[in-house]
Amino acid sequence: MIPWELLDTAQVPGGGELRLMRRGAEFSIKLGQNELMNSRLSGSEQALATLAWRRIQTRAKPRMLIGGLGMGFTLRAALAVLGSDAKIIVAELVPEVVAWARGAMAEMFGDSLKDPRVSIVQKDVSHLIRSDPAAYDIILLDVDNGPEGLTREANDALYDLKGLTAARAALRPGGVMAVWSSGPDARFTQRLRKAGFGVDEVPIRATGSRSGARHMIWMAMRPDKVK
């Protein structure tokens, strides 16, 4: 068995330390004993982008906001389905995560960060959501292990009723917000509906196959017409 090697660490604003680990060709990002992501398990992160795109695929010049760069699975899946007229803004709060994407994990990221459709912004995604109403056709949130903040307590503000209402306002009519989670959360589904979204819960295998752990993706649609 090849042992895990610690490549780098990064402080999370508000507390906590991320650790970038490698074992052979496999990468892992951990917070304490919790594994936030692994390069072998990308199915649900890719589905976050593709399922949302299917809801708005007929739109011209779509604008997408991705909360969290991670290992780039969601970004690369988005680039694969979006046309040349699309614009993707990736909000990543921890600068070391971007450095890892351009350094140790550069081969995995390929040319995705150099794609002219992509802009990387070192800001909290909640800041972008609140500062630009009716700006996005798609918002993809994968900034934690789900609606219950694990890496930062401040992430809870994304998923409370006030944060969800702001996200709805940041979407154009008929837009969609997709939220990734390591598991289901009935209270979060209720909050989405209370914030005015139409909601579908989509269980997805972490591996993208018929086996392995199940993750959850919420597809939250802003109505075409404001009531």
Side-chain angles (χ1 to χ4, degrees), residues 145-148 180-189 201-203 214-218:
N145 257 22
E148 297 299 327
W180 182 95
S181 175
S182 59
D185 187 328
R187 291 177 299 177
F188 182 62
T189 303
E201 298 171 293
V202 185
R214 284 184 181 271
H215 294 161
M216 178 65 71
I217 293 176
W218 285 270

Side-chain angles (χ1 to χ4, degrees), residues 2 4 7-8 20 32 37-38 53 67 69 106 112-113 118 129 131 140 145-146 156 173 195 197 212 218 220 225 227:
I2 301 174
W4 283 102
L7 297 182
D8 198 9
L20 176 63
M37 58 202 76
N38 186 290
W53 168 77
L69 176 61
S112 60
L113 299 184
V118 177
I129 286 173
S131 63
L140 306 180
N145 257 22
D156 290 337
F197 286 104
W218 285 270
K225 297 182 179 179
K227 295 181 180 180

Side-chain angles (χ1 to χ4, degrees), residues 27-203:
F27 290 92
S28 172
I29 296 179
K30 294 185 176 183
L31 177 74
Q33 297 302 312
N34 296 296
E35 183 174 65
L36 300 181
M37 58 202 76
N38 186 290
S39 59
R40 295 186 298 104
L41 304 173
S42 61
S44 58
E45 287 86 350
Q46 293 171 353
L48 187 68
T50 56
L51 290 174
W53 168 77
R54 290 173 189 168
R55 305 292 178 105
I56 61 95
Q57 60 184 297
T58 59
R59 294 195 179 194
K61 298 181 179 180
R63 293 189 82 225
M64 173 185 285
L65 174 63
I66 300 178
L69 176 61
M71 291 185 173
F73 298 127
T74 300
L75 172 61
R76 295 194 293 279
L79 288 171
V81 295
L82 290 172
S84 60
D85 62 347
K87 178 68 174 178
I88 304 174
I89 299 95
V90 181
E92 175 52 60
L93 188 60
V94 182
E96 288 87 351
V97 172
V98 180
W100 297 344
R102 292 172 172 153
M105 296 190 290
E107 184 175 351
M108 185 166 63
F109 273 80
D111 294 329
S112 60
L113 299 184
K114 298 177 182 178
D115 193 293
R117 294 171 289 177
V118 177
S119 298
I120 307 294
V121 180
Q122 189 187 327
K123 287 185 178 179
D124 192 319
V125 67
S126 64
H127 173 79
L128 298 181
I129 286 173
R130 295 174 189 276
S131 63
D132 209 353
Y136 305 105
D137 299 288
I138 299 177
I139 297 174
L140 306 180
L141 295 181
D142 182 11
V143 299
D144 216 313
N145 257 22
E148 297 299 327
L150 173 65
T151 61
R152 299 174 68 229
E153 290 185 6
N155 288 337
D156 290 337
L158 270 174
Y159 302 121
D160 64 16
L161 184 59
K162 186 176 180 180
L164 296 177
T165 301
R168 182 180 180 274
L171 286 169
R172 293 167 177 164
V176 59
M177 178 175 68
V179 181
W180 182 95
S181 175
S182 59
D185 187 328
R187 291 177 299 177
F188 182 62
T189 303
Q190 293 173 356
R191 289 201 300 275
L192 283 168
R193 290 180 175 140
K194 191 172 182 179
F197 286 104
V199 184
D200 290 328
E201 298 171 293
V202 185

